[in-house]
Amino acid sequence: MNPLVLPTPHSKYNPNATTAAQDLRFPPTPPTSTSELASLKIRLHSSLRQFPDFPSKGILFEDILPIFADAHLHQDLIRALELHVEEHYGRAERPDVIVGLEARGFLFGPSLALRLGAGFVPVRKQGKLPGPTETAGYEKEYGTDFFQIQADGIKPGQKVLIVDDIIATGGSAAAAGSLVRKIGGTLLGYVFILELDFLQGRQKLDAGASTLLSSQ
């Protein structure tokens, strides 16, 4: 058996190399019909709860937490996201890394990464991550906030998909995208469960974005 050679923190990512991490990837998902994804979307959307005027007047808040309270729905979500990623990016463009945004991107980002045979890297609020980090700011209604990512979380050239529960104004997602590029990742795009269309958050993003469920 050949010895396992681990890359150094500064080694350039080689997508053609056979590594232990690649060997851990799940077997390719068998071809599925569009009807499976459509059926999953219907079940998932019917499980959402709606709260008007939250967190502010005029907003219809759609609560995704019931999905995680039911094991079958949770499995449905991860399967639907897997099919969604394959539909939009193809098997040849499967991500090497899933980046999840604090905090709800952490609910499903690691499970999706595992299903796709990818790594998971969190983007967190400033001051929450140890070690060297990169920082990007974004505007909120009450001022500027900051996201950080660990500087060695993504190797140069790795393909990255950013996930979060919802895209609203797009500021936080755009900040995450700038962090991915800053540390050398190749940003494939963004995937959200829901979207507030009227806020036009996609206009702030520098890569393609898609939404799993129907938008407001």
Side-chain angles (χ1 to χ4, degrees), residues 21-103:
Q22 287 172 318
D23 291 339
L24 289 174
R25 287 181 180 269
F26 279 54
T29 305
T32 58
S33 65
T34 304
S35 61
E36 181 187 0
L37 181 55
S39 177
L40 290 168
K41 288 181 178 182
I42 291 171
R43 287 204 298 273
L44 291 167
H45 201 280
S46 66
S47 72
L48 302 178
R49 295 186 300 180
Q50 296 185 334
F51 295 91
D53 298 324
F54 181 86
S56 59
K57 190 172 180 59
I59 300 294
L60 179 62
F61 185 86
E62 294 195 88
D63 183 14
I64 66 170
L65 294 182
I67 293 174
F68 300 96
D70 183 294
H72 295 294
L73 287 172
H74 193 171
Q75 290 178 335
D76 285 347
L77 174 65
I78 302 306
R79 174 61 174 162
L81 287 167
E82 178 188 17
L83 294 175
H84 183 83
V85 169
E86 287 186 355
E87 182 180 88
H88 284 78
Y89 300 98
R91 291 172 186 266
E93 286 297 311
R94 273 198 173 191
D96 302 301
V97 177
I98 297 294
V99 165
L101 275 59
E102 186 172 350

Side-chain angles (χ1 to χ4, degrees), residues 140-159:
K140 301 186 74 172
E141 62 273 15
Y142 52 81
T144 303
D145 210 342
F146 296 91
F147 264 162
Q148 290 184 322
I149 193 171
Q150 289 182 313
D152 60 354
I154 298 168
K155 295 180 178 62
Q158 282 190 307
K159 294 175 290 188

Side-chain angles (χ1 to χ4, degrees), residues 98-121:
I98 297 294
V99 165
L101 275 59
E102 186 172 350
R104 294 195 175 192
F106 299 172
L107 289 175
F108 60 93
S111 298
L112 177 60
L114 185 61
R115 180 67 64 89
L116 297 175
F120 177 79
V121 174

